[in-house]
Amino acid sequence: MIWKEYGKTIRKLWLNLFGAAVFGFMLSSIAIFFAEKNPEHALTVYIIGGVIGTFFYAYLIYLAVWEVGAKDRIRVDGGRLDARPHQGLKIGLIFALPMIISGGIYLLISVLRESLSVSSGFLNAVSNVSAMIAYILAMPYVGFALALFGQLGRNIAETGQTLAYSVYLFATSFPAILFIWGTYLCGYHGKLMSRAFKPKKKDER
C-alpha cells in the first residue's frame, strides 16, 4: 500500500506545510503593513508576497520528495520495484486530500448558497469550519489571495465574493500536487539535484 511505503514522506510534507503556513502568515502581515503604507503599490506587494511564499513552500517540498524519487529509481534499476516515474502524483494526491476535501466542501456550499439560494444554520456552520481549514492550508499562497480579494475574512462576506473565494481555495489544493509530482520526477530521473543530496567529499566536515 502507498501509505506503508510513503507514509513517512507524507507526514513530513504535512509538517512542511505547517512551516510554510506559518511563514505565509508572517509574509501576509508584512505585506499588509507595506500595502497600507503604500496603497498605490499594494497589488505588487501582495503578488511579491505570494511568489515568495510559493517558492519557499516548493523548496520545502523539493527537500522532502526529490530524494524519494531518486531512491525509488535505484530500486527500480536494481529490479526490486516496477517502473514508477509518476508515483509522485499518487503521493501528492494523498497528501492533498485535506485541502481537496475542505476546499471542496466550502465550494459546494458556496454554490448551494449563492447559485441555488439554499441556506441553513447547519450549512453556514459547516461552511465556516471548512473555509477556516482550507484558508489555513492555503496560507503559503496567501499573498495571491490578498491580491485577488483585498483584506480577507469579513471583507469576503461583505463584498459578496464567497463563491469566487471558494473557487480560489479549492484551486490552491493543486499546486502542491504538481510540485510533488514534478519533484519526484526530477529525483527519479536524476535532474535538478541540490548539493544537499550530493555525497560529501572525505575532506568536507
Side-chain angles (χ1 to χ4, degrees), residues 1-7 84 87 94:
M1 292 181 63
I2 191 167
W3 181 262
K4 185 176 180 181
E5 287 188 83
Y6 302 103
R84 49 174 63 182
Q87 191 74 353
I94 293 174

Side-chain angles (χ1 to χ4, degrees), residues 124-194:
N124 290 339
V126 173
S127 175
N128 291 337
V129 172
S130 61
M132 180 57 66
I133 295 172
Y135 169 72
I136 293 172
L137 297 177
M139 189 62 73
Y141 319 108
V142 69
F144 296 125
L146 290 168
L148 290 170
F149 304 103
Q151 296 293 327
L152 304 177
R154 182 180 297 177
N155 180 68
I156 296 295
E158 290 177 349
T159 57
Q161 296 176 311
T162 304
L163 182 56
Y165 184 55
S166 67
V167 171
Y168 163 80
L169 285 181
F170 183 69
T172 59
S173 305
F174 299 99
I177 297 174
L178 296 177
F179 293 157
I180 294 168
W181 185 12
T183 300
Y184 181 93
L185 269 174
C186 287
Y188 190 87
H189 293 294
K191 305 295 185 180
L192 300 178
M193 179 189 291
S194 167

Side-chain angles (χ1 to χ4, degrees), residues 18 95 99 161:
F18 174 76
F95 161 75
M99 291 82 91
Q161 296 176 311

Side-chain angles (χ1 to χ4, degrees), residues 2-186:
I2 191 167
W3 181 262
K4 185 176 180 181
E5 287 188 83
Y6 302 103
K8 183 178 180 180
T9 298
I10 294 169
R11 289 193 295 270
K12 185 175 182 180
L13 286 167
W14 284 336
L15 183 62
N16 286 352
L17 173 57
F18 174 76
V22 172
F23 183 70
F25 176 78
M26 294 169 57
L27 273 179
S28 69
S29 300
I30 295 170
I32 290 171
F33 173 80
F34 281 106
E36 290 177 348
K37 294 291 184 180
N38 303 278
E40 68 277 12
H41 300 299
L43 181 61
T44 301
V45 170
Y46 291 148
I47 291 175
I48 291 173
V51 170
I52 293 173
T54 300
F55 270 93
F56 177 74
Y57 185 32
Y59 183 66
L60 292 181
I61 288 174
Y62 171 84
L63 291 178
V65 177
W66 191 96
E67 195 170 18
V68 176
K71 287 180 177 179
D72 277 0
R73 180 57 183 265
I74 292 172
R75 293 195 292 167
V76 169
D77 290 345
R80 289 174 288 163
L81 283 179
D82 294 330
R84 49 174 63 182
H86 300 293
Q87 191 74 353
L89 179 59
K90 297 180 182 178
I91 296 171
L93 286 170
I94 293 174
F95 161 75
L97 277 178
M99 291 82 91
I100 294 172
I101 292 171
S102 59
I105 291 173
Y106 183 48
L107 174 59
L108 176 60
I109 294 176
S110 295
V111 170
L112 290 174
R113 286 191 307 196
E114 297 192 22
S115 298
L116 303 176
S117 300
V118 177
S119 183
S120 70
F122 174 75
L123 282 180
N124 290 339
V126 173
S127 175
N128 291 337
V129 172
S130 61
M132 180 57 66
I133 295 172
Y135 169 72
I136 293 172
L137 297 177
M139 189 62 73
Y141 319 108
V142 69
F144 296 125
L146 290 168
L148 290 170
F149 304 103
Q151 296 293 327
L152 304 177
R154 182 180 297 177
N155 180 68
I156 296 295
E158 290 177 349
T159 57
Q161 296 176 311
T162 304
L163 182 56
Y165 184 55
S166 67
V167 171
Y168 163 80
L169 285 181
F170 183 69
T172 59
S173 305
F174 299 99
I177 297 174
L178 296 177
F179 293 157
I180 294 168
W181 185 12
T183 300
Y184 181 93
L185 269 174
C186 287

